[in-house]
Short mmCIF file of all heavy atoms in Angstrom, two decimals:
data_model
loop_
_atom_site.label_atom_id
_atom_site.label_comp_id
_atom_site.label_asym_id
_atom_site.label_seq_id
_atom_site.Cartn_x
_atom_site.Cartn_y
_atom_site.Cartn_z
N LYS A 87 197.10 153.79 87.14
CA LYS A 87 198.13 154.53 86.43
C LYS A 87 199.37 154.89 87.23
O LYS A 87 200.42 155.20 86.73
CB LYS A 87 197.53 155.90 85.88
CG LYS A 87 196.54 155.67 84.83
CD LYS A 87 195.97 157.11 84.28
CE LYS A 87 195.06 156.87 83.16
NZ LYS A 87 194.66 158.23 82.56
N ARG A 88 199.19 154.78 88.54
CA ARG A 88 200.31 155.19 89.48
C ARG A 88 200.85 154.00 90.32
O ARG A 88 201.84 153.44 90.05
CB ARG A 88 199.93 156.41 90.28
CG ARG A 88 199.56 157.62 89.48
CD ARG A 88 199.02 158.74 90.41
NE ARG A 88 198.68 159.90 89.63
CZ ARG A 88 198.17 160.99 90.14
NH1 ARG A 88 197.95 161.08 91.39
NH2 ARG A 88 197.73 162.02 89.29
N ARG A 89 200.08 153.70 91.34
CA ARG A 89 200.53 152.68 92.37
C ARG A 89 199.42 151.66 92.51
O ARG A 89 198.76 151.65 93.51
CB ARG A 89 200.92 153.33 93.64
CG ARG A 89 202.09 154.31 93.54
CD ARG A 89 202.44 154.92 94.85
NE ARG A 89 203.52 155.85 94.76
CZ ARG A 89 204.02 156.58 95.80
NH1 ARG A 89 203.45 156.46 96.96
NH2 ARG A 89 204.96 157.43 95.58
N PRO A 90 199.36 150.71 91.55
CA PRO A 90 198.24 149.79 91.63
C PRO A 90 198.28 148.82 92.75
O PRO A 90 197.29 148.47 93.35
CB PRO A 90 198.29 148.99 90.29
CG PRO A 90 199.76 149.19 89.83
CD PRO A 90 200.10 150.54 90.30
N MET A 91 199.56 148.57 93.32
CA MET A 91 199.56 147.58 94.45
C MET A 91 199.02 148.20 95.69
O MET A 91 198.46 147.63 96.52
CB MET A 91 201.10 147.17 94.57
CG MET A 91 201.58 146.41 93.47
SD MET A 91 200.57 145.02 92.98
CE MET A 91 200.59 143.95 94.40
N ILE A 92 199.34 149.60 95.83
CA ILE A 92 198.77 150.24 97.05
C ILE A 92 197.21 150.35 96.95
O ILE A 92 196.52 150.02 97.91
CB ILE A 92 199.37 151.67 97.19
CG1 ILE A 92 200.84 151.66 97.36
CG2 ILE A 92 198.62 152.48 98.22
CD1 ILE A 92 201.56 152.92 97.50
N GLY A 93 196.73 150.58 95.71
CA GLY A 93 195.25 150.61 95.58
C GLY A 93 194.59 149.29 95.86
O GLY A 93 193.56 149.10 96.45
N LEU A 94 195.38 148.21 95.33
CA LEU A 94 194.86 146.86 95.64
C LEU A 94 194.85 146.51 97.11
O LEU A 94 193.88 145.87 97.60
CB LEU A 94 195.74 145.77 94.88
CG LEU A 94 195.34 144.36 95.10
CD1 LEU A 94 193.97 144.07 94.47
CD2 LEU A 94 196.43 143.48 94.36
N ALA A 95 195.90 146.96 97.78
CA ALA A 95 195.96 146.72 99.15
C ALA A 95 194.82 147.41 99.90
O ALA A 95 194.17 146.86 100.92
CB ALA A 95 197.23 147.18 99.87
N ILE A 96 194.50 148.67 99.50
CA ILE A 96 193.40 149.43 100.16
C ILE A 96 192.05 148.68 99.85
O ILE A 96 191.22 148.58 100.80
CB ILE A 96 193.39 150.88 99.61
CG1 ILE A 96 194.67 151.65 100.04
CG2 ILE A 96 192.11 151.61 100.11
CD1 ILE A 96 194.74 153.03 99.47
N SER A 97 191.86 148.25 98.67
CA SER A 97 190.63 147.49 98.27
C SER A 97 190.52 146.22 99.12
O SER A 97 189.37 145.96 99.62
CB SER A 97 190.68 147.17 96.80
OG SER A 97 190.48 148.38 96.06
N VAL A 98 191.60 145.49 99.20
CA VAL A 98 191.50 144.21 100.01
C VAL A 98 191.29 144.58 101.50
O VAL A 98 190.43 143.92 102.16
CB VAL A 98 192.87 143.41 99.80
CG1 VAL A 98 192.84 142.25 100.83
CG2 VAL A 98 192.91 142.97 98.37
N ALA A 99 191.91 145.60 102.09
CA ALA A 99 191.64 145.96 103.45
C ALA A 99 190.22 146.41 103.68
O ALA A 99 189.62 146.04 104.71
CB ALA A 99 192.70 147.06 103.81
N ALA A 100 189.67 147.18 102.69
CA ALA A 100 188.33 147.59 102.91
C ALA A 100 187.33 146.49 102.82
O ALA A 100 186.33 146.35 103.55
CB ALA A 100 188.01 148.57 101.72
N ALA A 101 187.67 145.46 101.95
CA ALA A 101 186.76 144.25 101.81
C ALA A 101 186.81 143.52 103.13
O ALA A 101 185.76 143.07 103.70
CB ALA A 101 187.23 143.40 100.74
N LEU A 102 188.03 143.25 103.65
CA LEU A 102 188.15 142.53 105.02
C LEU A 102 187.45 143.30 106.13
O LEU A 102 186.73 142.68 106.95
CB LEU A 102 189.65 142.39 105.37
CG LEU A 102 190.47 141.43 104.52
CD1 LEU A 102 191.93 141.44 104.86
CD2 LEU A 102 189.92 140.06 104.61
N ALA A 103 187.61 144.54 106.15
CA ALA A 103 186.84 145.44 107.19
C ALA A 103 185.38 145.30 107.01
O ALA A 103 184.66 145.11 108.02
CB ALA A 103 187.33 146.84 107.14
N LEU A 104 184.88 145.27 105.82
CA LEU A 104 183.45 145.21 105.59
C LEU A 104 182.87 143.89 105.99
O LEU A 104 181.72 143.78 106.49
CB LEU A 104 183.17 145.36 104.05
CG LEU A 104 181.74 145.48 103.62
CD1 LEU A 104 181.01 146.54 104.38
CD2 LEU A 104 181.60 145.52 102.12
N PHE A 105 183.65 142.76 105.99
CA PHE A 105 183.11 141.48 106.33
C PHE A 105 183.44 141.19 107.80
O PHE A 105 182.72 140.32 108.40
CB PHE A 105 183.63 140.43 105.44
CG PHE A 105 183.08 140.28 104.17
CD1 PHE A 105 183.63 140.99 102.93
CD2 PHE A 105 181.93 139.63 103.89
CE1 PHE A 105 183.07 140.90 101.76
CE2 PHE A 105 181.24 139.59 102.67
CZ PHE A 105 181.82 140.20 101.50
N LEU A 106 184.45 141.73 108.36
CA LEU A 106 184.88 141.33 109.74
C LEU A 106 184.44 142.25 110.84
O LEU A 106 184.12 141.85 111.87
CB LEU A 106 186.45 141.24 109.79
CG LEU A 106 187.07 140.17 108.92
CD1 LEU A 106 188.57 140.16 109.09
CD2 LEU A 106 186.48 138.74 109.25
N VAL A 107 184.33 143.54 110.53
CA VAL A 107 183.97 144.59 111.63
C VAL A 107 182.42 144.61 111.92
O VAL A 107 181.97 144.70 112.98
CB VAL A 107 184.41 145.94 111.22
CG1 VAL A 107 183.98 147.03 112.21
CG2 VAL A 107 185.99 145.94 111.07
N PRO A 108 181.51 144.64 110.77
CA PRO A 108 180.11 144.71 111.19
C PRO A 108 179.58 143.68 112.15
O PRO A 108 178.78 144.05 113.01
CB PRO A 108 179.46 144.59 109.85
CG PRO A 108 180.48 145.13 108.89
CD PRO A 108 181.79 144.65 109.41
N PRO A 109 179.97 142.40 112.04
CA PRO A 109 179.44 141.47 113.08
C PRO A 109 179.72 141.85 114.47
O PRO A 109 178.84 141.69 115.37
CB PRO A 109 180.14 140.18 112.75
CG PRO A 109 180.41 140.25 111.31
CD PRO A 109 180.75 141.65 111.04
N ARG A 110 180.86 142.38 114.71
CA ARG A 110 181.23 142.95 116.10
C ARG A 110 180.34 144.12 116.47
O ARG A 110 179.92 144.26 117.64
CB ARG A 110 182.70 143.18 116.20
CG ARG A 110 183.54 141.91 116.15
CD ARG A 110 185.01 142.25 115.89
NE ARG A 110 185.88 140.99 116.00
CZ ARG A 110 185.85 140.09 115.12
NH1 ARG A 110 185.15 140.18 113.97
NH2 ARG A 110 186.66 138.98 115.27
N ILE A 111 180.20 144.93 115.58
CA ILE A 111 179.25 146.14 115.86
C ILE A 111 177.85 145.68 116.12
O ILE A 111 177.18 146.22 117.09
CB ILE A 111 179.34 147.11 114.67
CG1 ILE A 111 180.64 147.69 114.42
CG2 ILE A 111 178.30 148.24 114.86
CD1 ILE A 111 180.84 148.59 113.24
N ILE A 112 177.38 144.73 115.31
CA ILE A 112 175.98 144.17 115.52
C ILE A 112 175.90 143.54 116.90
O ILE A 112 174.78 143.74 117.50
CB ILE A 112 175.61 143.23 114.40
CG1 ILE A 112 175.61 144.07 113.05
CG2 ILE A 112 174.27 142.50 114.66
CD1 ILE A 112 175.60 143.18 111.82
N ASP A 113 176.80 142.77 117.31
CA ASP A 113 176.79 142.06 118.60
C ASP A 113 176.76 143.16 119.74
O ASP A 113 175.97 142.93 120.69
CB ASP A 113 178.02 141.19 118.78
CG ASP A 113 178.01 139.95 117.90
OD1 ASP A 113 176.95 139.65 117.40
OD2 ASP A 113 179.04 139.30 117.72
N TRP A 114 177.56 144.22 119.62
CA TRP A 114 177.52 145.23 120.57
C TRP A 114 176.09 145.93 120.61
O TRP A 114 175.60 146.20 121.75
CB TRP A 114 178.60 146.24 120.33
CG TRP A 114 178.61 147.44 121.22
CD1 TRP A 114 179.08 147.53 122.44
CD2 TRP A 114 178.22 148.75 120.82
NE1 TRP A 114 178.89 148.77 122.98
CE2 TRP A 114 178.31 149.57 121.97
CE3 TRP A 114 177.69 149.35 119.65
CZ2 TRP A 114 178.04 150.94 121.94
CZ3 TRP A 114 177.33 150.67 119.70
CH2 TRP A 114 177.53 151.42 120.81
N GLN A 115 175.56 146.21 119.47
CA GLN A 115 174.22 146.86 119.47
C GLN A 115 173.19 145.90 120.04
O GLN A 115 172.21 146.39 120.73
CB GLN A 115 173.84 147.16 118.01
CG GLN A 115 174.74 148.35 117.38
CD GLN A 115 174.38 148.50 115.89
OE1 GLN A 115 174.11 147.57 115.21
NE2 GLN A 115 174.53 149.76 115.45
N SER A 116 173.27 144.55 119.77
CA SER A 116 172.28 143.68 120.25
C SER A 116 172.38 143.62 121.77
O SER A 116 171.34 143.56 122.47
CB SER A 116 172.57 142.25 119.68
OG SER A 116 172.28 142.20 118.36
N ALA A 117 173.68 143.58 122.37
CA ALA A 117 173.79 143.58 123.75
C ALA A 117 173.15 144.77 124.44
O ALA A 117 172.53 144.73 125.60
CB ALA A 117 175.25 143.46 124.17
N ARG A 118 173.33 146.00 123.84
CA ARG A 118 172.77 147.23 124.38
C ARG A 118 171.21 147.14 124.30
O ARG A 118 170.54 147.58 125.27
CB ARG A 118 173.20 148.43 123.59
CG ARG A 118 174.77 148.81 123.79
CD ARG A 118 175.06 150.09 123.19
NE ARG A 118 174.22 151.19 123.87
CZ ARG A 118 174.15 152.41 123.38
NH1 ARG A 118 174.93 152.73 122.33
NH2 ARG A 118 173.47 153.33 124.01
#
Side-chain angles (χ1 to χ4, degrees):
K87 291 185 177 181
R88 298 177 182 177
R89 297 178 179 178
M91 296 310 296
I92 294 177
L94 178 62
I96 294 174
S97 291
V98 171
L102 290 174
L104 183 59
F105 283 97
L106 297 178
V107 174
R110 289 165 174 76
I111 297 175
I112 293 165
D113 289 343
W114 175 75
Q115 291 174 326
S116 293
R118 288 191 62 189

